[in-house]
Amino acid sequence: RRGSFDDDEEVEEEVTTVKVTKHSANRDAIRVDFGISALSRSLKFNSRSFEQAPKGYKNSPVPGGRLEAEMYPFAFSNPNSAAAGIGVAGDYDQTFALNLQSTAQPGTKFPVTEKHWSVGLRYRIAFGSRPTSPTLTLGAGFAHHTFVVNRKALAMGTVIDLPDVDYVGYDPGLTFRIPIGGNVALLFGGRALLVTGTGKIQTPEQYGQAKVTAGEATVGLDFVFANRYALRIVGELAQMGFAFTGGAEMTNNRDGEAASKDVGGAADRYLGGAATFGVLY
């Protein structure tokens, strides 16, 4: 027999609980960092000692801005899965204001565009399931580093003896993140740069063809607050080394005698760091 309900009877209802996935700092699904940076550059040439030898270049640290981002799409639903380690990342850094002065034209300031960026794939491996477990992130992508002098104010016939560089190439690398306290982690890693182009420095009018080896190293600390915010402080060193094959204007003809090789190589070094504020999920 079918029953009926009186107004005073209690009815049980099914309640569904939705579990919110938690992301610790070592397994974040998305992270965006922004802040300030500083960068100095030195360019030294390996040449024989003679009057026309290239003098090279060096500047003190110059302030800039930094933006970094990483995203691991599969970590949104299950940060502990193997697929959660698949992601993408990128960074962009540009010097705010850098001007070059040359004895070739005293009193004139020549603006310099100095910036670098990269974008690529990542795979993050966590050694353990705790929020304090260390991680290793493997990466590979495309990188670009520019140092170009604006020569519009240069008088006709005057030459600034400093080649522009515009490095492009692929950047395989790895980064370790090792927690050393509840909210602090040590970061260190490195990337190679498999150079596919260097800009005007390798034109026949400058230093010509060369064997180029390049890479960078990073070390720093990551301070995390409530698993949602972070302060990252890093130091960075990058270097591009050239071994010139000879036969170009600036390798063989600096002294007016094209038969002899005057410049054998160069070391282009960048030393700096950044302090950024991060938002994590």
Side-chain angles (χ1 to χ4, degrees), residues 25 131-133 177-186 221-224 227:
T132 55
S133 297
R177 184 181 189 277
I178 302 177
I180 55 177
N183 298 312
V184 184
L186 173 66
L221 293 172
D222 203 25
F223 301 89
V224 181
N227 275 337

Side-chain angles (χ1 to χ4, degrees), residues 11 36 64 110 116 123 129 142 167 177 183 258 276-277 280:
V11 180
I36 59 173
F110 300 93
H116 59 87
Y123 188 73
S129 57
F142 189 76
Y167 301 109
R177 184 181 189 277
N183 298 312
T276 58
F277 175 76
L280 298 72

